[in-house]
Amino acid sequence: MVGASRGLGLGLVARLLERGWQVTATVRRPSAALNDLAAGEKTRSLRIVTDIDIDVDAAVAALRATLDGEPAFDLIFVVAGVATQAGMPAGQMPREVVGQVFQTNAISPIRFAESFHKRVAASGVIAFMTSKLGSVSLNQGGGWGSYRASKAALNTLARSFAGQHSKASWRVILMHPGWVRTDLGGGRATLDVDTSVRGMVALLERCLEQGDRGGCVFLDYQGQTVPW
Ligand SMILES: NC(=O)c1ccc[n+]([C@@H]2O[C@H](COP(=O)([O-])OP(=O)(O)OC[C@H]3O[C@@H](n4cnc5c(N)ncnc54)[C@H](OP(=O)(O)O)[C@@H]3O)[C@@H](O)[C@H]2O)c1
């Protein structure tokens, strides 16, 4: 789980541990909430790796080296994302801010997947946390322009990534978690973290059990296909 300090990443780790998974969770800096999970009865099922900023290639390479030689992962889920100054029209935002949103939300997740895909089990899943806001066809009203565009870019890059690796049998899932009450989603969001992560984990477990292979799908937390 990449980006597990808080919000959906933290919730996903908690739910996976409840379901009996062995989880490796990465964070940029220590997270008290994640450490609390590790201190519970599931201690041995959770490994926390700190100092993993997905925008820093050297950090991702060091993580890769640390995990070399271990069994393949059933699931790699890149959850980390930002919505910096999302309310401001993209054309009015400082270039460096828009650029950074694209780096973190679109470029870095794909670079992470490029670095780790050989460590994914043949029938495994590489998941990216995207958003319905990244759907081009559903965008009627605009708003959150830079964030939307960064997630649309992530979707396109993930499809390209799956196409480049079409001989691989792992599956790529672009996941929309719903509108969820986190720091990013805000207090007016319609879902709590628990509802969203239960849905996402059930969907991922179904996909793994059924041995769905190859390709790239855009799904919400209830398993419904989201239009591109
Ligand atoms: N909440 C929603 O309604 C909603 C809807 C659709 C999609 N999403 C997506 O869901 C994902 C998680 O969002 P959230 O709602 O849980 O937001 P959140 O509570 O703000 O959490 C964001 C997470 O991303 C991490 N992160 C940000 N930049 C990072 C970087 N460069 N390297 C590593 N980790 C980084 C943060 O770590 P730090 O603690 O170190 O900052 C934090 O763990 C995001 O990709 C977001 O776009 C959320």
Side-chain angles (χ1 to χ4, degrees):
M1 193 64 51
V2 182
S5 61
R6 55 196 166 95
L8 289 164
L10 177 69
L12 281 163
V13 172
R15 182 62 185 154
L16 289 169
L17 291 173
E18 272 171 24
R19 297 287 300 158
W21 286 57
Q22 299 276 332
V23 180
T24 299
T26 76
V27 290
R28 288 195 280 195
R29 53 190 84 89
S31 152
L34 189 62
N35 289 341
D36 283 350
L37 284 182
E41 60 186 40
K42 303 286 194 297
T43 306
R44 275 167 307 186
S45 304
L46 173 59
R47 167 173 50 186
I48 299 171
V49 186
T50 52
D51 296 321
I52 307 302
D53 184 326
I54 60 168
D55 297 330
V56 178
D57 291 336
V60 175
L63 176 68
R64 172 72 213 270
T66 302
L67 300 176
D68 258 355
E70 295 196 5
F73 291 96
D74 291 322
L75 169 68
I76 288 186
F77 201 152
V78 186
V79 179
V82 292
T84 314
Q85 297 182 23
M88 187 181 286
Q92 296 171 20
M93 282 170 74
R95 279 182 185 275
E96 59 275 17
V97 176
V98 183
Q100 186 56 55
V101 170
F102 270 74
Q103 285 290 338
T104 303
N105 288 358
I107 312 294
S108 297
I110 295 299
R111 290 178 79 90
F112 193 96
E114 284 290 3
S115 178
F116 271 86
H117 69 86
K118 290 192 177 138
R119 304 298 328 284
V120 179
S123 55
V125 167
I126 299 174
F128 299 102
M129 196 70 94
T130 184
S131 170
K132 213 170 179 174
L133 293 183
S135 164
V136 173
S137 60
L138 293 179
N139 183 3
Q140 302 299 331
W144 280 46
S146 57
Y147 178 82
R148 275 183 195 276
S150 70
K151 293 295 189 180
L154 170 63
N155 294 354
T156 295
L157 288 170
R159 272 182 78 146
S160 299
F161 171 78
Q164 279 156 25
H165 298 286
S166 58
K167 294 203 173 93
S169 51
W170 36 253
R171 163 161 282 208
V172 174
I173 298 182
L174 284 156
M175 184 80 84
H176 169 60
W179 184 23
V180 190
R181 290 189 290 279
T182 62
D183 293 338
L184 189 152
R188 290 176 46 241
T190 48
L191 295 177
D192 59 24
V193 168
D194 192 53
T195 305
S196 172
V197 301
R198 277 175 184 272
M200 289 190 279
V201 169
L203 165 60
L204 291 164
E205 287 181 338
R206 264 197 318 275
C207 183
L208 289 165
E209 271 161 31
Q210 290 165 3
D212 293 340
R213 294 203 168 196
C216 176
V217 289
F218 185 5
L219 302 172
D220 72 10
Y221 72 105
Q222 294 176 309
Q224 300 296 311
T225 295
V226 182
W228 297 100

Short mmCIF file of all heavy atoms in Angstrom, two decimals, residues 4 10 13-14 17 23-25 27 31-50:
data_model
loop_
_atom_site.label_atom_id
_atom_site.label_comp_id
_atom_site.label_asym_id
_atom_site.label_seq_id
_atom_site.Cartn_x
_atom_site.Cartn_y
_atom_site.Cartn_z
N ALA A 4 0.12 5.39 2.88
CA ALA A 4 -0.78 4.77 3.87
C ALA A 4 -0.84 5.54 5.19
O ALA A 4 -1.34 5.01 6.18
CB ALA A 4 -0.32 3.33 4.13
N LEU A 10 -4.65 4.51 4.71
CA LEU A 10 -4.69 3.98 6.07
C LEU A 10 -5.89 3.04 6.24
O LEU A 10 -5.78 1.94 6.80
CB LEU A 10 -4.79 5.16 7.06
CG LEU A 10 -4.92 4.80 8.53
CD1 LEU A 10 -3.64 4.18 9.06
CD2 LEU A 10 -5.27 6.06 9.35
N VAL A 13 -5.31 -0.29 4.57
CA VAL A 13 -4.42 -1.17 5.35
C VAL A 13 -5.21 -1.83 6.48
O VAL A 13 -5.12 -3.05 6.70
CB VAL A 13 -3.22 -0.37 5.92
CG1 VAL A 13 -2.42 -1.23 6.89
CG2 VAL A 13 -2.33 0.13 4.79
N ALA A 14 -6.01 -1.03 7.20
CA ALA A 14 -6.78 -1.58 8.32
C ALA A 14 -7.72 -2.69 7.84
O ALA A 14 -7.82 -3.76 8.46
CB ALA A 14 -7.58 -0.46 8.99
N LEU A 17 -5.82 -5.88 6.81
CA LEU A 17 -5.37 -6.64 7.99
C LEU A 17 -6.55 -7.41 8.60
O LEU A 17 -6.40 -8.58 8.97
CB LEU A 17 -4.76 -5.69 9.03
CG LEU A 17 -3.42 -5.05 8.64
CD1 LEU A 17 -3.01 -4.01 9.68
CD2 LEU A 17 -2.32 -6.10 8.48
N VAL A 23 0.55 -7.14 4.92
CA VAL A 23 0.58 -5.84 4.23
C VAL A 23 1.92 -5.14 4.44
O VAL A 23 2.44 -5.08 5.56
CB VAL A 23 -0.54 -4.92 4.77
CG1 VAL A 23 -0.51 -3.56 4.07
CG2 VAL A 23 -1.92 -5.58 4.60
N THR A 24 2.47 -4.62 3.35
CA THR A 24 3.59 -3.69 3.42
C THR A 24 3.03 -2.31 3.11
O THR A 24 2.42 -2.12 2.05
CB THR A 24 4.69 -4.06 2.40
OG1 THR A 24 5.18 -5.37 2.71
CG2 THR A 24 5.83 -3.06 2.44
N ALA A 25 3.21 -1.38 4.04
CA ALA A 25 2.62 -0.04 3.90
C ALA A 25 3.73 1.00 3.86
O ALA A 25 4.60 1.00 4.73
CB ALA A 25 1.68 0.24 5.07
N VAL A 27 5.02 5.08 3.74
CA VAL A 27 4.65 6.45 4.13
C VAL A 27 5.84 7.37 3.88
O VAL A 27 6.98 6.91 3.82
CB VAL A 27 4.25 6.53 5.62
CG1 VAL A 27 2.92 5.83 5.88
CG2 VAL A 27 5.33 5.95 6.53
N SER A 31 3.58 7.78 10.76
CA SER A 31 2.17 8.08 10.97
C SER A 31 1.73 7.39 12.26
O SER A 31 1.80 6.16 12.36
CB SER A 31 1.36 7.54 9.78
OG SER A 31 0.04 7.20 10.17
N ALA A 32 1.26 8.20 13.22
CA ALA A 32 0.84 7.63 14.51
C ALA A 32 -0.31 6.65 14.30
O ALA A 32 -0.36 5.59 14.92
CB ALA A 32 0.43 8.76 15.45
N ALA A 33 -1.23 7.00 13.40
CA ALA A 33 -2.40 6.13 13.18
C ALA A 33 -1.97 4.79 12.60
O ALA A 33 -2.49 3.73 13.00
CB ALA A 33 -3.39 6.83 12.24
N LEU A 34 -1.02 4.81 11.69
CA LEU A 34 -0.54 3.55 11.10
C LEU A 34 0.26 2.75 12.14
O LEU A 34 0.11 1.53 12.25
CB LEU A 34 0.32 3.85 9.87
CG LEU A 34 0.72 2.66 9.02
CD1 LEU A 34 -0.49 1.96 8.42
CD2 LEU A 34 1.67 3.10 7.91
N ASN A 35 1.06 3.47 12.93
CA ASN A 35 1.81 2.79 13.99
C ASN A 35 0.87 2.12 14.98
O ASN A 35 1.17 1.04 15.49
CB ASN A 35 2.74 3.77 14.71
CG ASN A 35 3.90 4.19 13.83
OD1 ASN A 35 4.22 3.52 12.85
ND2 ASN A 35 4.52 5.31 14.17
N ASP A 36 -0.29 2.76 15.23
CA ASP A 36 -1.27 2.14 16.15
C ASP A 36 -1.76 0.81 15.58
O ASP A 36 -1.96 -0.15 16.32
CB ASP A 36 -2.48 3.07 16.35
CG ASP A 36 -2.16 4.22 17.29
OD1 ASP A 36 -1.08 4.17 17.92
OD2 ASP A 36 -2.97 5.16 17.37
N LEU A 37 -1.96 0.76 14.27
CA LEU A 37 -2.39 -0.51 13.65
C LEU A 37 -1.31 -1.57 13.85
O LEU A 37 -1.60 -2.72 14.16
CB LEU A 37 -2.62 -0.34 12.14
CG LEU A 37 -3.87 0.36 11.67
CD1 LEU A 37 -3.89 0.37 10.15
CD2 LEU A 37 -5.12 -0.32 12.22
N ALA A 38 -0.05 -1.13 13.69
CA ALA A 38 1.06 -2.09 13.82
C ALA A 38 1.21 -2.56 15.26
O ALA A 38 1.72 -3.66 15.51
CB ALA A 38 2.36 -1.45 13.34
N ALA A 39 0.78 -1.71 16.20
CA ALA A 39 0.93 -2.06 17.61
C ALA A 39 -0.16 -3.02 18.07
O ALA A 39 -0.07 -3.60 19.15
CB ALA A 39 0.90 -0.81 18.47
N GLY A 40 -1.19 -3.18 17.27
CA GLY A 40 -2.29 -4.06 17.66
C GLY A 40 -1.93 -5.52 17.47
O GLY A 40 -0.77 -5.88 17.27
N GLU A 41 -2.94 -6.33 17.52
CA GLU A 41 -2.68 -7.78 17.48
C GLU A 41 -2.17 -8.26 16.13
O GLU A 41 -1.64 -9.36 16.01
CB GLU A 41 -3.96 -8.54 17.85
CG GLU A 41 -5.10 -8.27 16.91
CD GLU A 41 -6.38 -8.93 17.42
OE1 GLU A 41 -6.60 -8.90 18.63
OE2 GLU A 41 -7.11 -9.47 16.58
N LYS A 42 -2.30 -7.39 15.12
CA LYS A 42 -1.89 -7.79 13.77
C LYS A 42 -0.43 -7.42 13.49
O LYS A 42 -0.01 -7.38 12.34
CB LYS A 42 -2.79 -7.10 12.73
CG LYS A 42 -4.26 -7.37 12.88
CD LYS A 42 -4.59 -8.78 12.42
CE LYS A 42 -6.06 -9.05 12.23
NZ LYS A 42 -6.83 -8.93 13.43
N THR A 43 0.34 -7.13 14.54
CA THR A 43 1.71 -6.65 14.38
C THR A 43 2.49 -7.37 13.30
O THR A 43 3.12 -6.77 12.45
CB THR A 43 2.48 -6.82 15.72
OG1 THR A 43 1.73 -6.19 16.73
CG2 THR A 43 3.86 -6.22 15.62
N ARG A 44 2.41 -8.69 13.34
CA ARG A 44 3.27 -9.45 12.43
C ARG A 44 2.78 -9.40 10.98
O ARG A 44 3.47 -9.81 10.08
CB ARG A 44 3.36 -10.90 12.88
CG ARG A 44 4.44 -11.08 13.94
CD ARG A 44 4.32 -12.40 14.58
NE ARG A 44 2.95 -12.57 15.07
CZ ARG A 44 2.52 -13.58 15.79
NH1 ARG A 44 3.32 -14.55 16.08
NH2 ARG A 44 1.27 -13.65 16.20
N SER A 45 1.55 -8.94 10.78
CA SER A 45 1.01 -8.89 9.42
C SER A 45 1.28 -7.57 8.72
O SER A 45 0.99 -7.43 7.55
CB SER A 45 -0.50 -9.12 9.45
OG SER A 45 -0.77 -10.33 10.10
N LEU A 46 1.80 -6.59 9.47
CA LEU A 46 1.99 -5.26 8.89
C LEU A 46 3.45 -4.84 8.99
O LEU A 46 4.03 -4.80 10.07
CB LEU A 46 1.11 -4.23 9.62
CG LEU A 46 1.32 -2.76 9.24
CD1 LEU A 46 1.07 -2.53 7.76
CD2 LEU A 46 0.41 -1.87 10.07
N ARG A 47 4.02 -4.51 7.83
CA ARG A 47 5.37 -3.93 7.79
C ARG A 47 5.24 -2.50 7.28
O ARG A 47 4.61 -2.27 6.24
CB ARG A 47 6.25 -4.75 6.84
CG ARG A 47 7.55 -4.03 6.50
CD ARG A 47 8.50 -4.88 5.71
NE ARG A 47 7.85 -5.49 4.56
CZ ARG A 47 8.46 -6.37 3.77
NH1 ARG A 47 9.68 -6.76 4.03
NH2 ARG A 47 7.83 -6.86 2.73
N ILE A 48 5.82 -1.57 8.01
CA ILE A 48 5.76 -0.15 7.62
C ILE A 48 7.13 0.28 7.12
O ILE A 48 8.14 0.03 7.77
CB ILE A 48 5.34 0.73 8.82
CG1 ILE A 48 3.95 0.31 9.33
CG2 ILE A 48 5.35 2.20 8.44
CD1 ILE A 48 3.55 0.96 10.65
N VAL A 49 7.14 0.92 5.96
CA VAL A 49 8.40 1.46 5.42
C VAL A 49 8.24 2.97 5.31
O VAL A 49 7.32 3.45 4.63
CB VAL A 49 8.72 0.85 4.03
CG1 VAL A 49 10.10 1.31 3.57
CG2 VAL A 49 8.65 -0.67 4.07
N THR A 50 9.12 3.71 5.97
CA THR A 50 9.04 5.18 5.96
C THR A 50 9.98 5.77 4.91
O THR A 50 10.77 5.06 4.28
CB THR A 50 9.40 5.76 7.35
OG1 THR A 50 10.65 5.22 7.74
CG2 THR A 50 8.36 5.43 8.38
#
